[in-house]
Amino acid sequence: MDTRVVSVDERPSRLIAFLVAVGVYFAVGHWADTAAASESELVRDVVEGLWFLGLAGLGAVFLRVDGAGATDIGLSRRFLVPGVGAFLLVWVALNAVGVGIATASGNPWGLGPLQQTTAGNLLVVLYLAFVEEFVFRGYLQVKVRSVLGADSAVSRTVTIGVAGVLFALAHVPRILAEGGYVGGTSVVGTLLVLTLSGVGFGVVYELTENLYFVGFLHAFGNSWPLLVDGFAWDGHAQVAFFVAVGVVYFGVTGLYRRLATGTLVTPRVRVEGAPE
């Protein structure tokens, strides 16, 4: 199978309705976060978990209404093993490269950073990451591409950019409540980081069409369970680690695309409007 056909309703009205619904839902979420701010950590976690569950339900409803399913967005069972395999390759490669950089630069490495990440924390970041990827890549990115009505490079690029920007803007209520929360940066800095992250995930999704792989990468980026803490290093070592992350991510992405082409999980997709 060289090309997989994905059918999603191409009417802009459905996209507008989705964006309005998400905007209202995020506003309600901001109110809920504010109301729960004075409660215990357990209550706040429950509120957040339920809110993300509702967000996933919203995406599932629109996906169903648009005539698409799990296979169309790379989330059916056939994509699970390839997605997990690709992610494990990323994890092994980053550990190997990270340890090499740490050894060469005199920085520490070992089980310490891994031991700081508990199983409970991993489950939480997986849950949150997969919900966001399902909504913003699995539904929104595919939907925008369907509305644009073309499979050209320009159409795909615009689609990735739009989904990335909307992914960042969806975090505005929490950014305003917390005053910028990515590494202590400003609100503008946080939006920039989130936009670049959204675009990066969008490129990986566009090239692999495997939502499991993107979801695992997203969760990985929120926890970094490695043998090294490359972001805590200084100077050239930190820069080298940043570069290594990009090279490994997109190197494995390119390898996945090459090996998966011609199979049932081929990343070569043509998006068409769903039949009436």
Side-chain angles (χ1 to χ4, degrees):
M1 180 186 293
D2 291 331
T3 303
R4 186 162 49 89
V5 177
V6 172
S7 298
V8 180
D9 186 279
E10 75 278 15
R11 284 174 286 186
S13 58
R14 296 268 179 86
L15 175 60
I16 294 172
F18 172 76
L19 295 177
V20 170
V22 168
V24 171
Y25 191 71
F26 269 82
V28 171
H30 177 56
W31 172 83
D33 282 342
T34 302
S38 60
E39 303 294 333
S40 66
E41 183 178 358
L42 176 61
V43 171
R44 295 196 301 271
D45 289 343
V46 170
V47 169
E48 182 179 45
L50 290 174
W51 185 87
F52 269 87
L53 182 62
L55 181 62
L58 188 64
V61 167
F62 274 89
L63 188 70
R64 180 69 178 271
V65 169
D66 278 349
T71 300
D72 292 314
I73 63 172
L75 198 58
S76 63
R77 283 180 296 179
R78 73 174 65 161
F79 294 90
L80 177 58
V81 172
V84 171
F87 169 71
L88 289 177
L89 183 57
V90 167
W91 186 79
V92 170
L94 273 182
N95 271 300
V97 174
V99 168
I101 296 173
T103 301
S105 60
N107 281 291
W109 66 273
L111 293 177
L114 273 178
Q115 292 171 340
Q116 294 174 10
T117 305
T118 66
N121 287 339
L122 284 177
L123 288 176
V124 170
V125 296
L126 277 171
Y127 168 61
L128 302 183
F130 267 88
V131 170
E132 289 190 338
E133 289 309 310
F134 168 62
V135 172
F136 290 101
R137 249 62 64 185
Y139 177 75
L140 182 60
Q141 187 163 313
V142 174
K143 177 66 175 180
V144 172
R145 186 170 160 189
S146 176
V147 170
L148 291 177
D151 279 313
S152 65
V154 173
S155 172
R156 294 167 188 254
T157 301
V158 170
T159 296
I160 292 169
V162 169
V165 170
L166 292 175
F167 169 74
L169 291 178
H171 291 77
V172 165
R174 180 167 296 175
I175 293 173
L176 293 177
E178 300 182 9
Y181 65 98
V182 175
T185 64
S186 65
V187 171
V188 174
T190 297
L191 281 174
L192 179 60
V193 171
L194 288 171
T195 299
L196 293 176
S197 297
V199 169
F201 292 137
V203 171
V204 173
Y205 181 61
E206 177 66 35
L207 293 175
T208 64
E209 297 290 339
N210 188 313
L211 204 60
Y212 288 105
F213 182 39
V214 183
F216 280 119
L217 288 182
H218 187 153
F220 181 61
N222 287 344
S223 55
W224 296 107
L226 291 168
L227 295 172
V228 299
D229 187 6
F231 298 107
W233 299 341
D234 295 319
H236 296 301
Q238 186 184 69
V239 172
F241 184 73
F242 270 110
V243 172
V245 170
V247 171
V248 170
Y249 270 34
F250 289 105
V252 173
T253 295
L255 179 63
Y256 178 98
R257 183 173 178 83
R258 180 176 180 179
L259 295 178
T261 297
T263 70
L264 290 176
V265 295
T266 178
R268 299 186 183 279
V269 168
R270 185 174 72 253
V271 177
E272 296 181 348
E276 298 290 340

